[in-house]
Amino acid sequence: MCPDCEDFPRTVFLLGQLALYADTTGADLDFVDAIGPSLAVSLPEPPPGLFPPGYNPTEGPEYPGGER
């Protein structure tokens, strides 16, 4: 098994927990604003097999008013 395979789901889980916390009454939104981007940047490459072979996230339809 690859050494970073556990990191991806753990980081995604933490981002989900942070999103739930942000929606609670009295949440420290400064904390959320500081930690959220740090967690997102720390996401490792997805584990092998998560996306189909040849998957390219930059390919897709043109969206009105936006650039690809």
Side-chain angles (χ1 to χ4, degrees):
M1 182 174 235
C2 68
D4 294 329
C5 288
E6 292 180 10
D7 292 342
F8 185 78
R10 183 181 305 129
T11 305
V12 171
F13 173 77
L14 289 171
L15 281 167
Q17 291 296 307
L18 186 64
L20 290 173
Y21 170 71
D23 284 339
T24 61
T25 303
D28 182 352
L29 297 181
D30 289 334
F31 173 78
V32 173
D33 289 342
I35 299 302
S38 299
L39 279 173
V41 167
S42 73
L43 277 171
E45 290 292 319
L50 187 65
F51 296 110
Y55 173 77
N56 184 349
T58 61
E59 291 180 356
E62 294 285 334
Y63 292 98
E67 294 181 25
R68 214 178 344 159

